[in-house]
Amino acid sequence: MAKTYVVEHLDPELGPWSSLEYQAIATETAEAGSRFCLSSVSKSLELPKELQNVPTLLIENRSVEEIYKLEKDRVCLLDPAAPSELHVEDAALFDVFLFGGILGDDPPRDRTAELRQKGFKGRRLGPVQMTTDTAARVTRLVIQQKVALDQISYIDYPELKIDEHESTEMPFRYVMDENGKPIMPKGMVDLIKSDSEKGFGDLF
């Protein structure tokens, strides 16, 4: 059965960082034969052109609680404060995997608590903060490709070279590609370089 990955978009705006993350999640999820949905999207929110042209992205104005009110026990909240970690066996327990849309904040803001209080069952993805697209990528690896969390190759806090004189440390965990580099959304490195003076807070 195809899985559904949902980001509860809790912000009234959608910055360039989130836009690139959502594009990456939509593309990779479709390639894996599953679905990606943005829920709780404000009707007044104007999506960036890049996202408007992503056919595999489902936009929902309803909250995830409303959408899955009859299937709540099949929804797994990826929650840093959950008592247990995500396991391959969870694929049989859950059909929907829910992300708070704020896993990429630095420092992390516990907005996932709002979803936690709604009674969704939670699972952790390990002790290190991930970007939202990385969290979705890791979840797919565990649930759909049956790779245990501790068997995934990660790179923590990678350093990005801005120019020959400057570099910046990314405060997140990423999945490592076959070349030992962090997997990031297409265009993310260029975005970080172009906005390096602003700080991460302005990119979300």
Side-chain angles (χ1 to χ4, degrees):
M1 181 178 177
K3 302 299 183 183
T4 300
Y5 299 84
V6 180
V7 171
E8 182 92 333
H9 186 74
L10 302 172
D11 287 314
E13 299 178 351
L14 200 161
W17 179 293
S18 295
S19 179
L20 291 178
E21 287 191 324
Y22 294 166
Q23 288 178 64
I25 297 171
T27 300
E28 293 176 18
T29 301
E31 290 172 351
S34 294
R35 303 190 307 161
F36 174 48
C37 173
L38 277 184
S39 60
S40 288
V41 176
S42 170
K43 292 181 179 179
S44 63
L45 177 65
E46 185 173 345
L47 289 178
K49 284 185 179 179
E50 298 79 12
L51 285 181
Q52 292 177 18
N53 298 325
V54 178
T56 54
L57 174 61
L58 304 174
I59 302 296
E60 267 284 359
N61 302 126
R62 295 178 297 168
S63 70
V64 68
E65 188 177 30
E66 184 179 354
I67 298 169
Y68 294 106
K69 60 185 176 183
L70 300 179
E71 308 166 84
K72 199 170 186 177
D73 63 332
R74 302 294 295 179
V75 178
C76 174
L77 172 64
L78 282 304
D79 180 0
S84 58
E85 295 192 332
L86 188 70
H87 291 282
V88 169
E89 293 77 17
D90 286 321
L93 300 178
F94 303 108
D95 302 316
V96 180
F97 296 87
L98 172 61
F99 307 86
I102 44 72
L103 294 170
D105 282 356
D106 175 43
R109 287 178 285 169
D110 193 18
R111 285 208 218 150
T112 306
E114 184 177 328
L115 295 170
R116 185 186 309 132
Q117 291 167 3
K118 294 178 179 179
F120 293 110
K121 297 175 184 175
R123 294 290 188 273
R124 292 174 69 235
L125 291 175
V128 184
Q129 187 77 1
M130 297 178 182
T131 59
T132 306
D133 66 291
T134 299
R137 189 171 296 114
V138 168
T139 301
R140 279 196 314 274
L141 285 170
V142 174
I143 296 301
Q144 294 187 246
Q145 296 187 29
K146 310 300 182 186
V147 182
L149 267 182
D150 60 3
Q151 296 300 308
I152 297 172
S153 296
Y154 301 107
I155 181 167
D156 295 344
Y157 316 126
E159 193 170 279
L160 291 185
K161 197 170 180 62
I162 303 301
D163 55 39
E164 57 182 286
H165 304 294
E166 182 185 359
S167 61
T168 185
E169 183 183 88
M170 301 299 294
F172 308 113
R173 164 172 283 183
Y174 294 88
V175 176
M176 184 188 296
D177 68 13
E178 62 274 11
N179 298 313
K181 303 290 185 182
I183 299 177
M184 295 183 180
K186 184 179 179 180
M188 183 62 79
V189 172
D190 290 336
L191 175 65
I192 292 168
K193 287 181 178 179
S194 65
D195 289 301
S196 60
E197 294 180 2
K198 296 181 180 179
F200 294 119
D202 295 315
L203 299 179
F204 297 104

